[in-house]
Amino acid sequence: MAAVDITVDTLAALWRIRFIRVILALFFLGISIVGSFVNWTQLVPETYFSNRRNGVNMYFVKVSWGWTLLLLTPFILFTSYKNLTFALRRLSSLVVATAVWYTFTKSFSYINNATGTCRVPESDAMDQVPHDDITSCRNAGGQWDGFAISGHSFILSYSALIIAEEMAPMVHMVKKNRNTVLDLLYISLNWIVIIWIWMFVCTSVYFHSFPEKLLGTVLGILPWFLTYWIWYSMPLSPGLPYQPKEQRQLA
């Protein structure tokens, strides 16, 4: 398992650097802007990932928060199990993150519903009552035109950023306290971050308007910043992932 050890050590050394996590947030902002410009030029041809029903979107992105919790929950337990109080505090950060995810996604849906109108083909418009919500509009074969803040831009950036924060303590895990399950779980978290980044790029290039993507991205970055950079450093909070004091000052 030497290859696994080397991979884990290399990735852990990368994510321990706080500035790298800041760069990731700036990367999402940059891709949102550049991807929107590429979308505007219409120079990128249609690909497998321009189809909303592609496998990665259907089986990963559509349930991205489930994947994030599925991998992060055992990882936090593995890296903080020696201190039950600390472990419970750290797990409460996932409760906070889930509340953020739920509140924001519901708000996006409400805004889209409140700002939109239904357009149905002229041939089908006769004898039809107005459709005042997205579901009835689509069931009638219509197209809903509302301000649809990009849920993909939000959840992919937010999930990747909190995973990056939670992976940081891996560098402090003594090898004798690590095991194959933990190492493979850590590598899986890194793979899921790569998938989220790639699908964020695809969203930026193929879908939504520029304001919808930019706002979704900003709203993905904002709660990460407010929690991990401000609130979690305070006493009455879930607390930050474990880092020795001297390492925290260097990060």
Side-chain angles (χ1 to χ4, degrees):
M1 300 295 287
V4 172
D5 287 339
I6 293 172
T7 301
V8 169
D9 290 342
T10 301
L11 292 169
L14 174 69
W15 289 120
R16 70 167 292 276
I17 305 172
R18 208 174 190 195
F19 185 61
I20 295 296
R21 280 118 64 189
V22 175
I23 290 176
L24 181 60
L26 296 176
F27 171 83
F28 283 127
L29 276 176
I31 289 298
S32 184
I33 296 170
V34 174
S36 296
F37 175 76
V38 173
N39 178 285
W40 175 75
T41 64
Q42 297 184 335
L43 294 177
V44 179
E46 297 292 306
T47 68
Y48 174 74
F49 292 101
S50 63
N51 184 340
R52 294 178 186 272
R53 298 194 64 81
N54 72 76
V56 180
N57 188 54
M58 295 298 295
Y59 299 111
F60 283 89
V61 179
K62 291 289 187 180
V63 288
S64 56
W65 194 244
W67 280 108
T68 298
L69 292 179
L70 181 67
L71 294 174
L72 266 186
T73 301
F75 180 77
I76 291 175
L77 287 173
F78 268 117
T79 53
S80 56
Y81 70 95
K82 289 187 176 181
N83 186 326
L84 180 59
T85 301
F86 181 72
L88 292 175
R89 285 187 67 191
R90 292 278 53 258
L91 286 175
S92 70
S93 69
L94 296 184
V95 176
V96 172
T98 300
V100 169
W101 161 76
Y102 182 83
T103 302
F104 277 52
T105 52
K106 288 296 182 181
S107 298
F108 295 169
S109 179
Y110 175 81
I111 291 170
N112 189 17
N113 206 59
T115 60
T117 56
C118 184
R119 290 194 297 121
V120 295
E122 290 185 8
S123 59
D124 299 332
M126 302 297 291
D127 303 324
Q128 286 199 9
V129 297
H131 300 285
D132 297 327
D133 62 84
I134 299 173
T135 302
S136 64
C137 177
R138 291 176 176 171
N139 288 342
Q143 178 179 331
W144 186 263
D145 290 331
F147 187 70
I149 301 172
S150 176
H152 278 40
S153 296
F154 161 72
I155 195 59
L156 295 175
S157 59
Y158 184 52
S159 293
L161 288 168
I162 66 170
I163 290 173
E165 292 289 346
E166 295 295 344
M167 288 194 298
M170 190 65 170
V171 74
H172 307 298
M173 289 289 292
V174 180
K175 285 191 176 181
K176 68 178 182 180
N177 293 330
R178 281 168 35 189
N179 54 51
T180 302
V181 173
L182 177 59
D183 285 352
L184 293 178
L185 189 59
Y186 181 76
I187 292 173
S188 297
L189 281 166
N190 278 275
W191 269 113
I192 211 73
V193 167
I194 292 171
I195 293 173
W196 293 168
I197 291 172
W198 171 246
M199 294 307 291
F200 183 94
V201 172
C202 292
T203 297
S204 298
V205 170
Y206 290 116
F207 305 107
H208 288 280
S209 67
F210 172 59
E212 292 169 344
K213 286 179 286 194
L214 183 62
L215 185 55
T217 304
V218 170
L219 291 176
I221 294 172
L222 185 61
W224 159 77
F225 177 78
L226 291 177
T227 51
Y228 285 91
W229 285 71
I230 299 178
W231 182 32
Y232 288 178
S233 61
M234 299 177 181
L236 295 177
S237 74
L240 290 166
Y242 173 76
Q243 273 190 316
K245 184 176 179 181
E246 64 274 13
Q247 292 293 337
R248 191 178 304 162
Q249 293 171 344
L250 292 172

